[in-house]
């Protein structure tokens, strides 16, 4: 048996050790080594649906559950009018609807740069634009914090910290985008190479799609398959903007398929009629017009 004095000495030693371990554990947990990621979704958003918003939530859950990534921001970039897609209503309406749809989100934002361009912008150009925005955002709190950490750390750690200074930018999309990579004259091969190789893709699969098959059948996608995150959506949802527009043309309810403010905006401005669906019907889609030889 230990004497009372020796017992107290042992207890104090153990408690000091325990306190040290707790402090060490806390310090380790407070050091977030995950890679910061910004998700960018390009598209018509004609109109934006609840499923568009769910893509962001599903992608963020998937990436963060790997323990390797921390998703800090989501960006919605509606395409400009020059895309010339059949049934595409004016960009200012689509931008307004996306802003209403994301008003309640604390991490998904809307960017208007692409929609404001006079000419159609290829997806890789939009990615470049936003990556440049990330590079130049030195005045944000996160950049200031990283700068302080860089100044305080040892020289051996500075190179690693510097490489993590700018978040990774990844294209968020559905499986239909992967499938479209194989459509002749819709994408330039070098653009696909840049999108997948330089940035990466987070692809949310939709019922009836086969993202893995698309990757296998494309040499470029297969080459960069480790930079493509395929995420299965187990709570299936077949909401599509095409079906929404069809319901609206037929004066059917779309409540609970779109955010309420978006439904109100559509009715207020009398959007999506039989006439609007025929817009650009006699015009060649911008990428096909540009790339067809």
């Amino acid at each position: 048996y230990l004497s009372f004095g020796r017992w107290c000495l042992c207890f104090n030693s153990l408690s000091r050790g325990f306190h040290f371990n707790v402090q060490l554990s806390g310090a380790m947990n407070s050091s977030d080594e995950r890679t910061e990621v910004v998700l960018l979704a390009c598209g018509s958003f004609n109109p934006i649906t609840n499923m568009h918003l769910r893509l962001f939530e599903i992608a963020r859950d998937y990436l963060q559950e790997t323990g390797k990534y921390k998703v800090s921001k989501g960006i919605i970039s509606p395409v400009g009018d020059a895309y010339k897609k059949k049934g595409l209503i004016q960009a200012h309406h689509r931008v307004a609807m996306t802003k209403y749809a994301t008003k309640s989100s604390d991490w998904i934002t809307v960017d208007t740069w692409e929609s404001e361009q006079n000419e159609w912008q290829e997806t890789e150009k939009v990615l470049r634009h936003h990556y440049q925005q990330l590079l130049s955002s030195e005045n944000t709190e996160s950049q200031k914090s990283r700068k302080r950490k860089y100044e305080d750390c040892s020289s051996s750690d500075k190179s690693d910290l510097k490489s993590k200074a700018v978040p990774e930018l990844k294209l968020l999309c559905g499986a239909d985008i992967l499938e479209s990579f194989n459509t002749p004259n819709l994408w330039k091969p070098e653009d696909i190479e840049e999108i997948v190789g330089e940035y990466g893709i987070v692809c949310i699969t939709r019922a009836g799609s086969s993202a893995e098959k698309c990757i296998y059948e494309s040499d470029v996608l297969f080459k960069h398959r480790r930079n493509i995150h395929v995420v299965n959506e187990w709570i299936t949802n077949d909401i599509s903007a095409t079906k929404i527009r069809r319901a609206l043309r037929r004066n059917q309810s779309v409540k609970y398929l779109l955010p309420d403010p978006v439904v109100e905006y559509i009715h207020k401005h009398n959007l999506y009629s039989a006439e609007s669906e025929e817009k650009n019907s006699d015009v060649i889609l911008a990428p096909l017009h540009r790339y067809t030889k």
Side-chain angles (χ1 to χ4, degrees):
Y1 293 95
L2 290 174
S3 66
F4 179 74
R6 290 183 178 179
W7 184 87
C8 289
L9 181 62
C10 290
F11 178 81
N12 288 337
S13 298
L14 287 170
S15 61
R16 281 196 299 270
F18 176 77
H19 181 65
F20 173 77
N21 287 334
V22 169
Q23 283 187 322
L24 182 60
S25 176
M28 292 173 65
N29 290 336
S30 64
S31 177
D32 195 340
E33 295 298 323
R34 294 176 298 170
T35 300
E36 186 177 352
V37 171
V38 172
L39 297 171
L40 172 67
C42 301
S44 300
F45 302 103
N46 188 39
I48 188 168
T49 71
N50 286 338
M51 192 57 204
H52 288 132
L53 300 174
R54 284 293 302 155
L55 293 182
F56 281 92
E57 297 292 335
I58 295 165
R60 183 172 68 164
D61 283 349
Y62 168 83
L63 290 174
Q64 295 190 159
E65 285 171 3
T66 66
K68 300 177 181 179
Y69 302 101
K70 176 180 65 176
V71 179
S72 59
K73 186 178 183 181
I75 305 172
I76 293 176
S77 179
V79 73
D81 294 334
Y83 188 53
K84 300 298 183 182
K85 186 176 183 180
K86 182 178 179 294
L88 188 67
I89 66 170
Q90 292 174 303
H92 71 89
H93 283 310
R94 292 181 287 108
V95 167
M97 287 188 286
T98 55
K99 287 183 176 180
Y100 278 121
T102 57
K103 197 171 183 179
S104 63
S105 176
D106 61 356
W107 71 284
I108 305 173
T109 63
V110 179
D111 187 90
T112 61
W113 179 83
E114 182 183 1
S115 66
E116 292 170 349
Q117 304 307 302
N118 292 327
E119 294 185 353
W120 167 66
Q121 301 296 308
E122 291 97 334
T123 301
E124 91 285 349
K125 288 184 179 179
V126 181
L127 282 161
R128 285 183 210 161
H129 167 77
H130 285 284
Y131 190 69
Q132 288 298 321
Q133 293 294 105
L134 292 175
L135 286 173
S136 62
S137 60
E138 293 294 335
N139 293 325
T140 63
E141 287 302 316
S142 58
Q143 291 287 349
K144 289 179 180 179
S145 173
R146 280 190 285 264
K147 185 177 180 180
R148 286 194 296 269
K149 290 179 181 178
Y150 180 78
E151 292 171 347
D152 293 340
C153 70
S154 63
S155 58
S156 60
D157 295 331
K158 282 188 175 181
S159 59
D160 182 58
L161 185 61
K162 190 174 181 179
S163 67
K164 297 180 180 179
V166 180
E168 288 188 6
L169 180 64
K170 296 186 181 298
L171 181 67
L172 173 63
C173 67
D176 56 325
I177 297 297
L178 283 185
E179 294 168 359
S180 73
F181 284 163
N182 294 323
T183 302
N185 301 318
L186 193 60
W187 298 84
K188 290 190 296 185
E190 57 267 31
D191 290 352
I192 299 174
E193 181 85 33
E194 181 177 346
I195 291 169
V196 184
E198 296 296 324
Y199 300 100
I201 292 178
V202 181
C203 174
I204 313 299
T205 61
R206 180 182 287 184
S209 64
S210 179
E212 290 84 359
K213 182 180 178 182
C214 291
I215 295 171
Y216 174 75
E217 292 178 346
S218 166
D219 289 341
V220 174
L221 297 182
F222 188 79
K223 174 184 174 183
H224 298 290
R225 61 191 181 279
R226 291 180 180 82
N227 214 17
I228 303 174
H229 301 269
V230 177
V231 186
N232 292 316
E233 172 48 78
W234 298 111
I235 305 176
T236 56
N237 194 327
D238 197 28
I239 298 174
S240 72
T242 301
K243 293 178 180 179
I244 294 295
R245 294 197 304 275
R246 182 181 297 125
L248 288 166
R249 292 198 306 273
R250 298 172 180 177
N251 294 317
Q252 296 174 343
S253 172
V254 292
K255 190 174 178 63
Y256 308 121
L257 299 175
L258 315 178
D260 285 343
V262 174
V263 177
E264 293 170 8
Y265 185 93
I266 289 172
H267 291 316
K268 179 180 178 180
H269 295 276
N270 297 313
L271 304 178
Y272 301 116
S273 61
E275 291 75 19
S276 69
E277 192 64 21
E278 291 304 309
K279 184 178 179 181
N280 297 324
S281 60
D282 58 345
V283 181
I284 299 175
L285 192 68
L288 294 177
H289 182 268
R290 185 174 297 180
Y291 302 146
T292 303
K293 298 180 181 180

